[in-house]
Amino acid sequence: EKTKDKMRGIQRTTTKTDLETRTNDLERRLKEKIEVMTGFADPEVRARKLQQSFAFFDLNDSGNIDYQEFFAAMTKLNFVGVQKEMEALFNRYDEDASGEIDYKEFSYSLFGIGNKPTMDVNAKNIVEKVKARIIQKDGASGIHKVARLLSRMDNDGSKSLDQDELMQGLREYGISKIPPVELQTLFNYFDRDRSGRISIDEFLRGLKTGMSYERKQLVRQAFNLLDSTGDGVVTVDDILQNYDFSYHPNVVNGSITVQQATNEMLSCFESGSSDVDGKVTWAEFLDYYKGMSMSIDDDNYFELMIRNAWHMSGGDGFAENTTCKRVLVTHSDGSEEVVEIKNDLGLNYRDINEVKRRLERQGVQDIRKVQV
């Protein structure tokens, strides 16, 4: 079974790489089509032209479009027979897995306009090299350590760094073998306004790129289990009380303790900020997992980690949840069965009546007795 899971993982990786290549090609063809349609005008004009194409399908004038509206706009631009690539392109820009994209931001970003950098090949290679060094040194905790270190370099509290501060921070962390010319390219890539300073947050987001839409959806499911009110905000206490830190990747491999993993999460949500309020938004929660995701290549392992840590039922093969409690149910006719209590995050198993109610909501009927 493990061999089959490994082979499925290899096949998924190959398929994902092929799809990414085709998606990049679709993105390139979209840019070229708009260039031709605008007579090779400047990027601002091209972006506005593409924006108009999407706005036609934005019936409520919200500035956002869902996938069906995106698909309709792309079809009108004569992109047909590439549905998987269109889905992948949409998901690439749906950074928070909300099911919608801001089409103005999408249009401007596509043509390299605005605050969000457009990743050229050279800069991307250097960013990947920096990411590799961070992962090699500290695994899933690496990006959080870099964040704390760079924040210490921010002497004036501007949440930005000049080139010397960035270089010093990376060297202090242990990234010292990247040639100066590459570090210069790295800095220039993030210094979009050529002010001589880069945003720390934007730099860290640049390192966290590449999280797949499927992983974002898993993280969203975990957040939704905590967000009982549906307002997009949970408390730090809720997270600490429910999250099983023993499934943190670096706890699993023995490089940090459960307490260290706890402190790391706290530092991400409640340190180095002027607006510490004990609350965590969906964007902050996702950002934490983007940092963790960059150190995990295996999708099956990432899914298993999320499901087990947050007691989320489901998953297939290696990725199937193993932490949701199984109980022995005795029915009125004397028959017995072992039943998994689905999504049992926060359930008090001493409260047998609540356990029974949960089982009944799952469709288990005629319960005489439950043994935990």
Side-chain angles (χ1 to χ4, degrees):
E1 187 63 38
K2 288 184 178 179
T3 301
K4 290 180 180 178
D5 285 336
K6 186 175 181 180
M7 289 302 298
R8 282 194 290 266
I10 293 171
Q11 290 169 355
R12 271 197 295 269
T13 300
T14 303
T15 302
K16 280 170 56 180
T17 302
D18 291 343
L19 180 58
E20 183 176 0
T21 300
R22 299 198 308 272
T23 305
N24 291 339
D25 183 61
L26 175 62
E27 189 174 52
R28 176 188 58 77
R29 288 192 290 131
L30 176 59
K31 291 171 68 174
E32 290 175 350
K33 179 177 281 289
I34 300 300
E35 286 171 356
V36 172
M37 291 173 65
T38 58
F40 297 92
D42 63 58
E44 181 82 26
V45 174
R46 299 176 202 168
R48 286 201 301 269
K49 179 65 177 178
L50 181 57
Q51 187 182 338
Q52 290 168 5
S53 298
F54 290 126
F56 180 81
F57 293 93
D58 179 19
L59 300 181
N60 62 356
D61 200 30
S62 66
N64 295 324
I65 53 174
D66 61 22
Y67 173 69
Q68 293 304 322
E69 293 165 331
F70 179 81
F71 177 83
M74 292 290 285
T75 301
K76 188 178 179 182
L77 288 168
N78 205 31
F79 288 100
V80 295
V82 286
Q83 185 167 344
K84 287 185 178 180
E85 292 81 355
M86 276 196 270
E87 289 178 3
L89 184 61
F90 181 89
N91 293 340
R92 178 179 290 179
Y93 284 87
D94 180 13
E95 294 188 355
D96 62 354
S98 66
E100 294 185 331
I101 60 173
D102 179 326
Y103 55 82
K104 179 178 179 180
E105 183 178 329
F106 169 78
S107 302
Y108 276 62
S109 179
L110 192 68
F111 291 103
I113 303 170
N115 294 325
K116 185 175 178 180
T118 301
M119 186 78 79
D120 62 65
V121 174
N122 193 30
K124 182 177 182 179
N125 290 338
I126 298 169
V127 169
E128 291 300 321
K129 188 180 295 187
V130 172
K131 286 169 63 174
R133 297 283 177 85
I134 293 171
I135 293 167
Q136 182 181 33
K137 188 173 186 293
D138 287 305
S141 301
I143 192 68
H144 307 301
K145 291 185 179 181
V146 171
R148 290 195 296 273
L149 194 151
L150 293 181
S151 294
R152 290 203 303 270
M153 297 291 160
D154 176 26
N155 296 320
D156 61 1
S158 65
K159 296 187 178 180
S160 64
L161 301 173
D162 62 27
Q163 186 171 328
D164 288 340
E165 289 170 331
L166 177 65
M167 305 309 176
Q168 182 182 346
L170 292 176
R171 288 194 181 103
E172 187 172 322
Y173 178 75
I175 301 175
S176 58
K177 295 182 180 180
I178 296 179
V181 65
E182 292 190 0
L183 288 174
Q184 177 72 59
T185 300
L186 182 70
F187 186 86
N188 290 342
Y189 162 64
F190 286 102
D191 183 17
R192 297 292 292 173
D193 60 1
R194 297 297 180 259
S195 64
R197 301 189 70 82
I198 64 171
S199 161
I200 295 175
D201 288 341
E202 191 62 48
F203 176 72
L204 293 172
R205 276 195 292 271
L207 293 178
K208 296 175 187 176
T209 56
M211 186 180 192
S212 71
Y213 190 71
E214 291 74 20
R215 291 191 182 192
K216 291 176 189 174
Q217 288 180 310
L218 278 169
V219 176
R220 182 88 220 195
Q221 288 178 45
F223 184 83
N224 289 344
L225 288 175
L226 289 168
D227 183 19
S228 57
T229 62
D231 63 354
V233 178
V234 299
T235 69
V236 172
D237 286 342
D238 284 338
I239 291 174
L240 295 180
Q241 289 171 14
N242 289 289
Y243 181 56
D244 190 341
F245 285 93
S246 65
Y247 289 96
H248 186 289
N250 281 12
V251 174
V252 172
N253 67 27
S255 60
I256 63 174
T257 65
V258 167
Q259 186 59 53
Q260 287 171 324
T262 305
N263 293 340
E264 177 187 288
M265 179 176 276
L266 274 173
S267 72
C268 291
F269 294 139
E270 293 289 69
S271 297
S273 174
S274 59
D275 59 349
V276 172
D277 56 6
K279 297 179 180 179
V280 178
T281 64
W282 158 238
E284 291 170 329
F285 191 80
L286 176 61
D287 191 65
Y288 171 80
Y289 273 105
K290 282 182 178 179
M292 188 178 290
S293 176
M294 62 184 267
S295 69
I296 301 174
D297 292 328
D298 190 329
D299 286 338
N300 277 331
Y301 178 69
F302 184 86
E303 180 175 353
L304 179 66
M305 175 196 70
I306 294 290
R307 290 193 181 282
N308 280 350
W310 294 105
H311 288 235
M312 285 167 47
S313 297
D316 296 315
F318 179 80
E320 184 177 4
N321 168 277
T322 59
T323 56
C324 287
K325 182 75 76 175
R326 276 74 172 169
V327 296
L328 179 63
V329 175
T330 303
H331 297 283
S332 298
D333 62 1
S335 63
E336 296 179 334
E337 64 173 328
V338 176
V339 181
E340 174 192 325
I341 299 184
K342 299 184 183 300
N343 299 327
D344 66 344
L345 187 70
L347 178 62
N348 179 8
Y349 280 93
R350 294 178 181 176
D351 186 345
I352 296 299
N353 288 329
E354 177 58 25
V355 171
K356 287 182 178 179
R357 283 193 289 270
R358 289 287 292 271
L359 288 168
E360 287 170 352
R361 287 201 295 270
Q362 290 178 204
V364 182
Q365 301 298 322
D366 194 26
I367 302 172
R368 189 181 75 188
K369 180 182 177 183
V370 175
Q371 289 178 265
V372 178

